[in-house]
């Protein structure tokens, strides 16, 4: 059979196994970090494919002291999310199709890479006739391993999978360049290798190890290590590389980059020393998951005890010694067994970014997607040796060994199917996490958030939030502040303002710079008429971030509510100078101008708010009230028809009920709106009951 026919057959088998393993994940819902990165990330919600629009997707907003900095952030990955959004908005099916396709492409290039690796000078001829089977086994055992589900089914972890895809494509191109004669093709493959590296870096930063991986591959598979001169050249190259790395780190230290990175430990429950002590145990756990990947051992959340010394817990020192021994095996097997050496060194190398000093969370299974590429290569060689050995010795055991290998592949597929069931919904995922990490707060908190934001079951939400407060956080030392904030929001929704304020204060005791809690507390103070305290918090927020459009519009809202229209207009103008597309600032500016009697100017801002947020009913209310105050009967009729055609009866009535005294939407007149709406929807009068206008005199001067 020709190589092209073999490749085609392998593609079909890989497609079949990967498709079967992931056939149930196409409807898996959004989860956890999917929301800030995709669902709620306005930068990728593109409506056209113009260059400037696509360029916007390359950046992300970061808090940095008082300013919200815009920085380049994984542009390749974010562009793919933007294109997904352009085609299907928040429909998860399209995202899963792309993620699964990336996984399939990665699997196929892993197969091709292993196949070409077996043809390298130091391996050529050693596995004569078995190269295709070995490469297939190495690829398929990696691809259908259930440990990969977190990188494939968890949509946001396309960051990990697409970066790994470009990484393996780059390695393949490097091998093709090294195995090709010095002609035009070699230059093309070299260019492909460099481009793949750039795309990998643009997908996720952990792929910075790519040049080192190529160097290891070059030494192990292309250099004659038995030759003394070759060894001298390699040592010289390694020395130069070492000097380069040390110099690079020194520059980062002088510039303060390393210090900024290490500041992340301020919000962690562990120190840099404790992280370095803990990670060897986690890496061993990763290895156990990869080679014994039953679904019950896989989870988004793990209860890992932090190592506080070499002997606490007692497994810390043995784990460190094991990693050192594993590294030693990798180094000592370089000449005799380069494949074993490469699989070990590649695995450890690609954990060095996410499992060393950088203050990331301690454990996530998707971090194994790239490092585990070649772990099944020596296993596949061993399995093929076993099959070949018994082919000559014992036909029954030979058949049994083939059945065993097939059974392992099928069991991996089944385990992947089972694991993907946990990812089906937010509820199923967090219930799965609770079953596997009962003492961790995160799954209880997120299950509570599911019941609060998705199913609307506030009682269950409060129960799970209260349970979360009794559990521990592995990574964040301020984790309970978020729980208290969310509980306070629920209490506010049920008009329990006293206890809501109390919980906001408790959250702020844990995390004094918790901006969301401060913003929420400001609105509660407005609701209960404590405007002086609301203004005090708004000023505090602005002292933290003077150039924040959101904080300026919040202060403008407080002052507007107090009836100080001119001052509110001045502050809201500053907010709009910073961000002309700030929806609330446009709404408040329109309301403020309308209350001053400047109706035409008011409608300009209200139209802009309507354009920016066409689904926001309170903007429609504001435009309608402004038109009524201006005495524009024809325009009022038109706006009223638009309102009634855009929202159902229950939504309109429930929204009107929110415009009671001291409402935190905008100082709109519930009475004016009810009077005009009931002319075309009489039922509103009966369902609203007695309606009083907002008592402006109730707001004392601040």
């Amino acid at each position: 059979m020709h190589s092209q026919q073999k490749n085609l057959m392998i593609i079909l088998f890989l497609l079949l196994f990967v498709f079967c393993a992931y056939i149930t994940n196409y409807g898996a819902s959004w989860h956890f970090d999917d929301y800030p990165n995709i669902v709620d990330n306005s930068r990728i919600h593109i409506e056209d494919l113009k260059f400037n629009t696509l360029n916007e997707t390359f950046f992300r907003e970061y808090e940095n002291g008082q300013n919200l900095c815009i920085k380049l952030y994984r542009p390749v990955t974010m562009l793919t999310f933007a294109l997904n959004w352009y085609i299907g908005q928040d429909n998860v099916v399209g995202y899963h199709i792309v993620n699964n396709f990336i996984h399939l492409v990665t699997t196929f290039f892993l197969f091709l890479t292993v196949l070409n690796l077996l043809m390298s000078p130091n391996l050529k001829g050693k596995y004569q006739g078995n190269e295709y089977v070995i490469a297939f086994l190495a690829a398929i055992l990696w691809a259908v391993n259930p440990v990969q589900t977190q990188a494939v089914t968890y949509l946001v972890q396309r960051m990990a999978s697409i970066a790994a895809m470009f990484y393996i494509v780059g390695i393949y191109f490097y091998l093709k360049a090294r195995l090709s004669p010095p002609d035009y093709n070699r230059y093309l493959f070299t260019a492909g290798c460099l481009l793949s590296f750039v795309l990998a870096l643009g997908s996720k930063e952990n792929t910075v190890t790519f040049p080192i991986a190529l160097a290891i591959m070059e030494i192990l598979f292309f250099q004659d290590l038995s030759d003394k001169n070759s060894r001298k050249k390699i040592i010289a190259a390694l020395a130069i590389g070492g000097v380069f790395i040390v110099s690079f780190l020194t520059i980062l230290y002088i510039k303060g980059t390393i210090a900024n990175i290490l500041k992340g430990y301020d919000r962690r429950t562990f120190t840099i020393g404790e992280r370095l002590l803990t990670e060897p145990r986690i890496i061993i756990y990763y290895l156990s998951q990869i080679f014994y990947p039953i679904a019950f051992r896989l989870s988004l959340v793990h209860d890992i005890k932090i190592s506080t010394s070499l002997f606490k817990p007692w497994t810390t020192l043995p784990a460190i010694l094991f990693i050192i021994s594993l590294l030693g095996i990798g180094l000592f097997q370089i000449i005799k067994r380069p494949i074993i050496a490469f699989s070990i060194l590649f695995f450890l190398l690609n954990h060095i970014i996410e499992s060393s000093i950088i203050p990331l969370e301690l454990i996530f299974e998707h971090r194994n997607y790239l490092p585990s590429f070649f772990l099944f290569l020596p296993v596949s060689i061993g399995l093929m040796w076993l099959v070949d050995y018994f082919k000559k010795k014992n036909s029954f055991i030979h058949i049994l060994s083939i059945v065993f290998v097939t059974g392992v592949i099928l069991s991996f597929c089944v385990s992947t199917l089972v694991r993907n069931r946990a990812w089906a919904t937010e509820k199923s995922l967090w219930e799965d996490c609770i079953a596997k990490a009962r003492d961790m707060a995160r799954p209880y908190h997120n299950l509570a958030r599911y019941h609060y934001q998705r199913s609307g079951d506030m009682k269950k939400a409060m129960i799970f939030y209260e349970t979360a407060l009794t559990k521990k956080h592995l990574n964040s030392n301020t984790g309970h502040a978020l729980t208290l904030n969310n509980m306070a929001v629920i209490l506010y929704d049920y008009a329990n303002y006293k206890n809501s304020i109390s919980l906001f204060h408790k959250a702020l005791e844990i995390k004094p710079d918790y901006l969301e809690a401060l913003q929420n507390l400001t609105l509660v103070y407005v609701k209960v008429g404590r405007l002086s305290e609301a203004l005090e918090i708004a000023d505090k927020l602005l002292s933290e971030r003077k150039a924040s459009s959101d904080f300026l519009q919040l202060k403008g809202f407080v002052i507007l509510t107090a009836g100080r229209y001119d001052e509110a207009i001045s502050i809201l103008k500053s907010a709009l100078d910073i961000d002309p597309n700030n929806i609330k600032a446009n709404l408040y500016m329109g309301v403020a101008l309308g209350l001053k009697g400047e109706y035409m100017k008011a409608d300009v801002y209200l139209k802009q708010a309507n354009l920016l947020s066409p689904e926001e009913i309170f903007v429609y209310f504001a435009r309608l009230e402004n038109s009524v105050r201006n005495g524009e009967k024809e325009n009022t009729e038109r706006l009223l028809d638009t309102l009634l055609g855009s929202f159902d009866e229950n939504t309109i009535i429930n929204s009107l009920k929110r415009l009671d005294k001291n409402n935190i939407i905008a100082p709109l007149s519930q009475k004016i709106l009810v009077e005009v709406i009931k002319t075309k929807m009489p039922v509103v009068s009966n369902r609203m009951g007695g309606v009083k206008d907002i008592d402006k005199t109730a707001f004392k001067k601040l």
Side-chain angles (χ1 to χ4, degrees):
M1 187 182 292
H2 295 297
S3 60
Q4 289 184 343
Q5 292 176 313
K6 288 182 180 178
N7 287 345
L8 179 60
M9 188 172 69
I10 293 295
I11 290 175
L12 292 175
F13 272 111
L14 291 174
L15 176 62
L16 175 64
F17 280 109
V18 172
F19 178 76
C20 289
Y22 284 92
I23 194 171
T24 60
N25 81 336
Y26 289 95
S29 69
W30 300 108
H31 295 293
F32 200 35
D33 285 344
D34 289 336
Y35 288 97
N37 286 285
I38 305 172
V39 181
D40 300 327
N41 183 4
S42 60
R43 285 188 171 272
I44 69 159
H45 297 172
I46 62 175
E47 296 180 353
D48 59 66
L49 299 178
K50 296 177 182 177
F51 175 80
N52 289 338
T53 303
L54 297 178
N55 185 60
E56 277 289 305
T57 68
F58 298 162
F59 298 89
R60 181 178 180 179
E61 297 176 351
Y62 284 90
E63 279 187 22
N64 183 21
Q66 296 180 351
N67 300 313
L68 205 60
C69 298
I70 308 299
K71 293 185 178 181
L72 188 68
Y73 179 72
R74 301 177 182 177
V76 176
T77 308
M78 301 314 292
L79 177 61
T80 67
F81 285 141
L83 293 174
N84 257 132
W85 187 274
Y86 177 74
I87 294 170
Q89 282 72 52
D90 61 351
N91 188 327
V92 294
V93 175
Y95 296 84
H96 284 296
I97 289 172
V98 174
N99 275 27
N100 290 355
F101 178 74
I102 289 169
H103 186 53
L104 181 62
V105 171
T106 305
T107 304
F108 181 60
F109 272 95
L110 178 59
F111 160 74
L112 291 178
T113 299
V114 172
L115 189 62
N116 281 272
L117 195 63
L118 296 177
M119 297 175 185
S120 62
N122 292 354
L123 295 178
K124 194 170 184 179
K126 287 188 176 181
Y127 307 101
Q128 193 69 36
N130 287 330
E131 293 94 342
Y132 276 88
V133 179
I134 290 171
F136 172 76
L137 286 176
I140 202 64
L141 287 171
W142 172 86
V144 299
N145 194 306
V147 79
Q148 313 300 5
T149 52
Q150 195 173 110
V152 180
T153 304
Y154 186 13
L155 291 172
V156 76
Q157 288 313 325
R158 180 184 301 177
M159 295 175 179
S161 63
I162 198 171
M165 181 188 76
F166 287 122
Y167 198 111
I168 197 65
V169 171
I171 291 178
Y172 168 73
F173 281 138
Y174 175 79
L175 288 171
K176 292 295 289 184
R178 290 293 284 117
L179 294 171
S180 297
D183 58 12
Y184 181 71
N185 286 335
R186 173 175 284 190
Y187 293 116
L188 285 178
F189 287 131
T190 302
C193 177
L194 292 173
L195 178 60
S196 297
F197 178 41
V198 171
L199 292 172
L201 271 179
S203 302
K204 194 176 180 183
E205 300 83 350
N206 66 320
T207 53
V208 72
T209 61
F210 181 78
I212 303 174
L214 294 189
I216 294 172
M217 184 175 291
E218 175 68 27
I219 292 170
L220 267 59
F221 302 111
F222 291 92
Q223 299 299 315
D224 183 4
L225 298 179
S226 63
D227 180 67
K228 189 175 181 180
N229 290 329
S230 294
R231 290 201 298 270
K232 285 182 179 179
K233 290 178 182 178
I234 291 168
I235 291 170
L238 291 175
I240 293 170
V243 170
F244 174 78
I245 292 171
V246 171
S247 301
F248 180 69
L249 292 174
T250 302
I251 292 169
L252 290 180
Y253 179 77
I254 292 171
K255 289 177 66 178
T257 305
I258 293 177
N260 286 334
I261 290 173
L262 298 182
K263 280 183 181 178
Y265 282 101
D266 294 343
R267 58 189 174 86
R268 295 301 184 193
T269 58
F270 47 83
T271 64
I272 183 173
E274 289 171 340
R275 180 180 174 83
L276 290 171
L277 288 172
T278 306
E279 284 300 329
R281 293 171 40 232
I282 291 173
I283 289 174
I284 292 172
Y285 186 67
Y286 285 154
L287 286 169
S288 74
Q289 287 182 305
I290 291 167
F291 290 107
Y292 183 47
I294 58 172
F296 188 75
R297 305 186 70 237
L298 305 174
S299 178
L300 183 61
V301 178
H302 291 276
D303 187 358
I304 298 291
K305 190 172 183 180
I306 296 171
S307 294
T308 56
S309 74
L310 289 172
F311 308 102
K312 290 184 180 180
W314 70 268
T315 52
T316 302
L317 182 58
I320 294 172
L321 294 175
F322 178 85
I323 297 299
I324 293 172
S325 299
L326 195 61
L327 179 61
I329 292 170
L331 294 173
F332 282 111
Q333 295 297 325
I334 283 176
I335 297 176
K336 289 186 176 180
R337 298 177 181 84
I339 286 179
I340 291 177
F342 181 63
S343 65
I344 292 172
L345 295 177
F346 187 89
F347 178 77
L348 295 177
L349 169 68
N350 283 289
H351 269 299
I352 201 167
I353 301 297
E354 295 177 306
S355 299
S356 57
I357 67 169
I358 299 175
L360 303 171
E361 296 198 23
L362 287 172
I363 179 171
F364 274 123
E365 290 158 13
H366 66 260
R367 292 175 184 169
N368 290 290
Y369 193 79
L370 170 57
S372 62
F373 270 161
F374 298 100
L375 284 182
F376 287 102
L377 177 52
V379 172
S380 301
I381 292 171
L383 290 172
M384 277 310 302
W385 176 87
L386 186 71
V387 170
D388 284 347
Y389 178 81
F390 285 109
K391 185 177 182 180
K392 300 173 184 177
K393 299 287 185 179
N394 189 312
S395 59
F396 175 74
I397 298 180
H398 168 68
I399 295 171
L400 199 62
S401 61
I402 294 174
V403 172
F404 170 75
V405 174
T406 306
V408 169
I409 295 172
L410 293 176
S411 69
F412 276 15
C413 288
V414 171
S415 292
T416 297
L417 287 168
V418 172
R419 178 62 190 148
N420 274 328
R421 286 198 325 217
W423 291 95
T425 66
E426 288 184 82
K427 184 173 182 285
S428 63
L429 178 66
W430 296 117
E431 287 176 343
D432 176 78
C433 291
I434 287 174
K436 297 167 183 176
R438 292 187 177 278
D439 293 329
M440 303 306 297
R442 175 177 282 173
Y444 294 96
H445 172 91
N446 284 288
L447 186 57
R449 188 172 63 178
Y450 162 79
H451 284 296
Y452 167 48
Q453 294 182 341
R454 309 286 179 247
S455 69
D457 192 332
M458 304 301 177
K459 185 176 180 181
K460 280 188 178 179
M462 288 298 283
I463 290 171
F464 282 114
Y465 276 136
E466 288 170 358
T467 305
L469 292 175
T470 68
K471 305 297 180 178
K472 64 182 180 180
H473 283 275
L474 178 62
N475 297 289
S476 173
N477 54 22
T478 59
H480 287 319
L482 180 58
T483 300
L484 289 164
N485 173 77
N486 291 5
M487 293 174 70
V489 170
I490 291 175
L491 290 175
Y492 168 81
D493 287 342
Y494 280 87
N496 190 341
Y497 305 126
K498 181 179 179 181
N499 286 329
S500 176
I501 291 170
S502 175
L503 289 182
F504 279 130
H505 280 294
K506 287 182 179 179
L508 291 166
E509 286 174 12
I510 298 172
K511 189 178 180 181
D513 60 346
Y514 191 0
L515 301 183
E516 184 181 343
L518 287 168
Q519 289 175 279
N520 289 333
L521 184 56
T522 302
L523 295 176
V524 180
Y525 278 151
V526 169
K527 185 68 180 177
V528 298
R530 294 163 64 173
L531 298 184
S532 296
E533 290 162 285
L535 184 59
E536 184 180 336
I537 296 176
D539 285 333
K540 180 180 179 179
L541 287 167
L542 283 169
S543 70
E544 293 292 325
R545 194 188 294 160
K546 293 182 177 64
S548 169
S549 178
D550 285 336
F551 294 165
L552 283 166
Q553 60 88 358
L554 182 64
K555 181 177 180 178
F557 166 69
V558 176
I559 293 175
L560 171 62
T561 305
R564 291 155 51 181
Y565 305 138
D566 289 329
E567 189 178 346
I569 289 169
S570 176
I571 293 170
L572 292 168
K573 185 179 182 302
S574 298
L576 290 169
D577 286 341
I578 296 170
D579 181 9
N581 293 325
N582 187 313
I583 298 167
K584 289 185 178 179
N586 277 287
L587 170 61
Y588 299 151
M589 178 67 91
V591 171
L593 289 167
L595 291 172
K596 275 197 69 183
E598 299 180 30
Y599 304 117
M600 298 297 290
K601 286 184 180 179
D603 199 46
V604 172
Y605 290 98
L606 294 176
K607 280 181 180 178
Q608 178 66 5
N610 205 174
L611 183 67
L612 292 168
S613 185
E615 73 286 348
E616 179 55 70
I617 191 172
F618 296 103
V619 178
Y620 287 85
F621 284 167
R623 291 196 68 193
L624 186 60
E625 180 182 329
N626 186 64
S627 183
V628 171
R629 288 181 183 275
N630 194 26
E632 295 183 328
K633 293 184 179 180
E634 186 176 327
N635 188 51
T636 298
E637 287 284 319
R638 182 177 58 80
L639 289 172
L640 184 56
D641 288 339
T642 302
L643 172 71
L644 298 178
S646 301
F647 302 94
D648 61 60
E649 180 182 293
N650 286 332
T651 300
I652 292 171
I653 292 173
N654 290 335
S655 298
L656 284 170
K657 287 180 178 178
R658 294 179 64 186
L659 299 179
D660 57 357
K661 183 178 178 181
N662 298 13
N663 78 78
I664 62 166
I665 307 302
L668 300 173
S669 170
Q670 189 186 66
K671 182 177 181 180
I672 288 175
L673 290 167
V674 169
E675 287 297 320
V676 69
I677 291 172
K678 74 179 183 181
T679 61
K680 291 198 174 184
M681 195 172 78
V683 69
V684 70
S685 183
N686 296 330
R687 292 184 60 183
M688 287 293 297
V691 176
K692 294 182 179 179
D693 200 357
I694 296 174
D695 184 5
K696 303 295 182 186
T697 61
F699 301 109
K700 298 179 180 178
K701 294 289 184 181
L702 300 183

